Amino acid sequence: QVQLVESGGGSVQVGGSLTLSCAVSASDFAISPIAWYRQAPGRQREWVAKISANGKTYYDDSLEGRFTISRDNAKNTVYLRMNSLKPEDTAVYYCFAVVPDSWGQGTQVTVSS
């Protein structure tokens, strides 16, 4: 069983920054790829970023380099640093353990002027 708990969501102004955390309870955390997804109201869930066990990162091109994913294996935690936030970044953000297929409960991010 894998449990994931997101935190760090909230409301920020356009252009601001926010860091999301995903605490993962799993014995194989260090070898498990972890991803971030988001879903805005009325829109399909979309992939945001992924980080492999060796730290290699992957991003959705639409982010334009504004987000950074990282992991701290000692803390069993994955982070998503979000800079230059835009209103279209408003969504519920979910972390996802690729192996096994496990989702967190999500954390709300709201960006407004």
Side-chain angles (χ1 to χ4, degrees):
Q1 182 179 9
V2 177
Q3 297 183 45
L4 304 94
V5 180
E6 301 95 335
S7 62
S11 298
V12 297
Q13 294 184 333
V14 171
S17 298
L18 199 62
T19 299
L20 306 182
S21 299
C22 175
V24 182
S25 297
S27 60
D28 60 347
F29 172 81
I31 63 172
S32 176
I34 303 293
W36 285 96
Y37 287 77
R38 66 185 181 185
Q39 186 166 21
R43 298 180 64 87
Q44 186 177 12
R45 184 187 68 183
E46 63 179 352
W47 172 73
V48 174
K50 184 180 75 174
I51 186 165
S52 68
N54 64 8
K56 187 173 183 179
T57 58
Y58 308 83
Y59 299 95
D60 180 5
D61 290 341
S62 69
L63 299 176
E64 301 176 318
R66 298 179 298 114
F67 290 11
T68 301
I69 188 171
S70 61
R71 67 191 297 161
D72 185 339
N73 290 342
K75 297 181 178 180
N76 280 21
T77 301
V78 171
Y79 305 94
L80 184 69
R81 175 66 175 177
M82 305 182 293
N83 297 316
S84 301
L85 285 163
K86 305 175 180 179
E88 52 262 44
D89 295 318
T90 295
V92 176
Y93 285 71
Y94 300 89
C95 58
F96 170 68
V98 176
V99 180
D101 187 332
S102 300
W103 294 89
Q105 82 289 347
T107 186
Q108 176 71 48
V109 172
T110 302
V111 185
S112 60
S113 300

